[in-house]
Amino acid sequence: MKLEAVELIRLNVPLKSAFRTSEGSVSIHEVVWTHVITDVGEGWAECAANGLPDYSSEYHDAAADVLKRFFIPELMKLGDDLTAELVGPTLHWAKGHRMAKAAMETALLDAQLRHANQSFASYLGATRQRVPAGVSVGIMDSIEELLSFVSGYLADGYLRIKLKIEPGWDYEPVKLVRDTFGDDLLLQVDANTAYTRDDFDLLKRLDEFNLLLIEQPLNEEDILGHVKLSQYVSTPICLDESIVSAESARDAIELGATSIINIKPSRVGGYLEAVKIHDVAQKCGIPVWCGGMLETGIGRAANLALAALPNFTLPGDTSASARYFSADTTEPFVLRDGHIDVPTGPGIGVDPIPEVVDRFAVSREWIKR
Ligand code: OSB
Ligand code: MG
């Protein structure tokens, strides 16, 4: 396939309610889309990098810049030889910028699979038609507000609740949610790196709540800290930010830093690397689940395909469109019996709704051969 042109679309999509983590609060989902035009058709992807470099070092302006300046021209130079599978090896020389790389790989894979009339799910090796849905609940201003959001999500049918935590918002909210909704609730927490090695006793107090896991309690670089913490607490530790490749997954597993992995294709440079992590974890008996970056339908569709692979044995953060947006950029993903259907159409299986894209687009730029 030959890459003829790429449209970079900047979108500001309002969230229904602000989403607060230990890293900050967002009320607008700010992203860049890569819309690729090839000789075999077009493809779409949502780059997960948000406005601020607070989850990883990536942010949308930097992603747009590195795509324009380096990645797109280089992929165009491959001429007819370009395939989605070549994006990773071709851009390997460039350090980091995994979300930008993932966006190019995903959009090209979408074009390639649409042309081959094959779905992402079938290409990636999915074994299920629908996936169980969890929901990630942000830090709130009060416990009452938290309980009201959680009870709303449970009424919607979500099968697992993840609470964002930070120092000062941990033991109490987790205890109240556990006490209010009972021992059967699948419950886990995500600290987004908010704790240090001085907080082990505090984190150990969470053991009494029978949580599924504690996600990324320490700095992303503190692998040894996670090993020590895993030995200190009985709740399983699950890494998110620390796992950026199949190699880092393999090492973290072997060292005993993580006993469950949150896989986000965007964080690891794309779906092909995500499948490698799935496979490494599966060989080691480590369950995985699919995380999210508040993606609109364009990004969510491919995440659902990945989440249908066999070792995704825990409900992911792949929630329904209505959890995030009043208007999604595609046909909305809906919850049925706590599950979301995996798209079956060619490529990502969904198309952007032009009127909605027009409404939320703040800029559009074409990069041509
Ligand atoms: O750490 O998993 C995270 C959202 C943005 C950035 C990081 C994270 C999250 C979430 C929400 O937890 C996941 C989602 O619902 O898409
Ligand atoms: Mg996380």
Side-chain angles (χ1 to χ4, degrees), residues 162 164 190 192 215 240-241 262 264:
K162 160 169 139 182
K164 291 289 189 178
D190 185 1
N192 290 107
E215 184 178 342
D240 173 352
E241 284 90 332
N262 166 344
K264 287 181 192 169

Side-chain angles (χ1 to χ4, degrees), residues 19 21 23 50 55 136 162 164 190 192 215 240-241 262 264 291-295 300 317 319 323-324:
F19 183 67
T21 73
E23 287 158 341
N50 292 155
Y55 167 78
S136 176
K162 160 169 139 182
K164 291 289 189 178
D190 185 1
N192 290 107
E215 184 178 342
D240 173 352
E241 284 90 332
N262 166 344
K264 287 181 192 169
M293 293 293 289
L294 313 175
E295 288 91 346
R300 189 161 306 278
D317 283 344
S319 312
R323 180 258 174 266
Y324 310 93

